[in-house]
Each structure stands twice: as C-alpha cells, then as structure tokens.
Amino acid sequence: MTDLMTRPYWYLRHGETDWNAQGRSQGRTDIPLNATGIAQAEAAGLLLARHWRDHAPIVRIVASPLVRARRTAEIVADQLAAHGAPRLEVALDDGLKEVCFGAEEGKPMGSWYDSWIAGEYTPPDGESFADLRERAVSAVNRALELDGVPLIVCHGAMFRALRAAMHLKPNVRLPNATPMWAEPGATGVWSLTALS
C-alpha cells in the first residue's frame, strides 16, 4: 500500500453539478458545473486569493480532467490571478479522476456506500475503495514530488480515499468547493483546515 508523502497541500472538491444537487452518484460520468457550482468555484478562488498566504502559497494547480473539476480549477486560477497571485496553468492528471461507480452511476446515493468504503462491496463494473485509495495517493504524491505547495482539484470520493491515507475517518462528506489545507502531523495523523 502506497503511503501519502508527508508534505502539505491544498485540496478543493469541484463545484456543484445538477447530479450533486439531486443526490445522484456521479463517478466517472462527466457532468458539468451548474450555475451554483460556477458561483461556488468563483467564491473558492476569491477565498484562496485572500487567505492562501495564511498557510502556504499555491505554486501549481493539478486537477482531474473531468469537466466539473477542470472547470473549477480554471475558475480558481483566474480568481487567483485577478487578485495578485501569479497566473498558474492547470495541469491535468488522469489519476485524479473520480472513482468509477460502475452500475451505481446516475443512481441515488444508497446504503451501499458505507459497505464500499469498508471494503465489503464494490458496485458491478466499479472500482474498489482500496484501489481508489492507491490511485488517489499515487496521484497526489506526483503533485507533491515537485517543490512548493500544490492545489489539488478533484472529487468527493477521492477525498474520502485521501482521508483514509491521512489516518482520518474516511466517510466524511466534503462540501462542494470548500478549500481545505491538509498538513501532516507529528503522529502520522493529518490536520485539515477549511477556509471559510
């Protein structure tokens, strides 16, 4: 099992989509941001522009190529640049794509989700939580290998997998477009600070 590099990073889940608003499992289905999601991404970018120096400056943005995450990252990059930060290009990493929920995609979130995180169930044609964790850690480690602090922009289930790798309770929902500062602790348990 791959360990997460003990270097801090910023994390941002994409803004809202219509499927988020409807409580449907998105997974790899490439659903765009809705109007609320665009406004959330703008607000997150403004929040990061005002407060990112409180923790560490963002030197690069790495995003999932799915449109809801990529567009969120582009909006944040625009907001940062409009408020005095360097203009950062958005790099894409296929390893940051959301989990494949297989047969559950497009359906309402169900009682299977807890069993999936516990490793007791994987949706037909889907990806196991253990496989997602391995992929998520590898992708974030690629972003952490370079100097400076990255902003990772991707997905909710991805963050649950990263929480597991940070020795935190995994099944905690991260609201759309809430910037999180992730910092390793001396005991191996990470601390998370949400900007608000």
Side-chain angles (χ1 to χ4, degrees):
M1 182 182 300
T2 304
D3 291 326
L4 192 59
M5 291 176 66
T6 53
R7 297 179 63 184
Y9 62 96
W10 287 99
Y11 191 91
L12 184 66
R13 182 184 176 204
H14 61 79
E16 185 185 83
T17 69
D18 286 345
W19 280 21
N20 288 146
Q22 296 162 8
R24 296 165 70 183
S25 302
Q26 286 180 121
R28 292 283 174 83
T29 307
D30 208 4
I31 306 298
L33 297 177
N34 60 22
T36 297
I38 290 169
Q40 288 173 335
E42 290 170 349
L46 183 57
L47 201 56
L48 282 163
R50 289 181 177 159
H51 298 289
W52 61 308
R53 290 176 188 87
D54 297 345
H55 297 283
I58 298 165
V59 299
R60 71 188 152 283
I61 300 174
V62 185
S64 160
L66 295 179
V67 68
R68 60 193 184 267
R70 186 182 71 238
R71 184 70 186 116
T72 298
E74 291 165 352
I75 291 169
V76 168
D78 290 344
Q79 285 283 17
L80 289 171
H83 292 87
R87 180 66 173 110
L88 301 172
E89 295 302 317
V90 175
L92 302 177
D93 186 328
D94 279 346
L96 294 175
K97 283 182 179 176
E98 181 61 298
V99 65
C100 178
F101 279 136
E104 295 292 346
E105 292 196 12
K107 297 179 182 176
M109 295 299 290
S111 59
W112 59 268
Y113 204 79
D114 290 334
S115 296
W116 171 69
I117 288 176
E120 299 162 354
Y121 169 78
T122 299
D125 301 318
E127 184 176 13
S128 73
F129 188 74
D131 287 347
L132 173 66
R133 182 192 182 282
E134 189 73 16
R135 180 167 61 80
V137 168
S138 295
V140 171
N141 281 350
R142 283 192 292 277
L144 292 173
E145 285 173 350
L146 303 173
D147 289 336
V149 174
L151 168 63
I152 309 295
V153 184
C154 57
H155 305 278
M158 289 289 291
F159 196 62
R160 285 175 166 91
L162 290 169
R163 285 182 62 91
M166 292 186 282
H167 306 286
L168 300 168
K169 180 182 174 185
N171 200 5
V172 175
R173 186 178 185 280
L174 178 63
N176 292 98
T178 298
M180 296 291 295
W181 173 245
E183 189 168 23
T187 64
V189 177
W190 288 57
S191 66
L192 298 174
T193 306
L195 286 185
S196 58

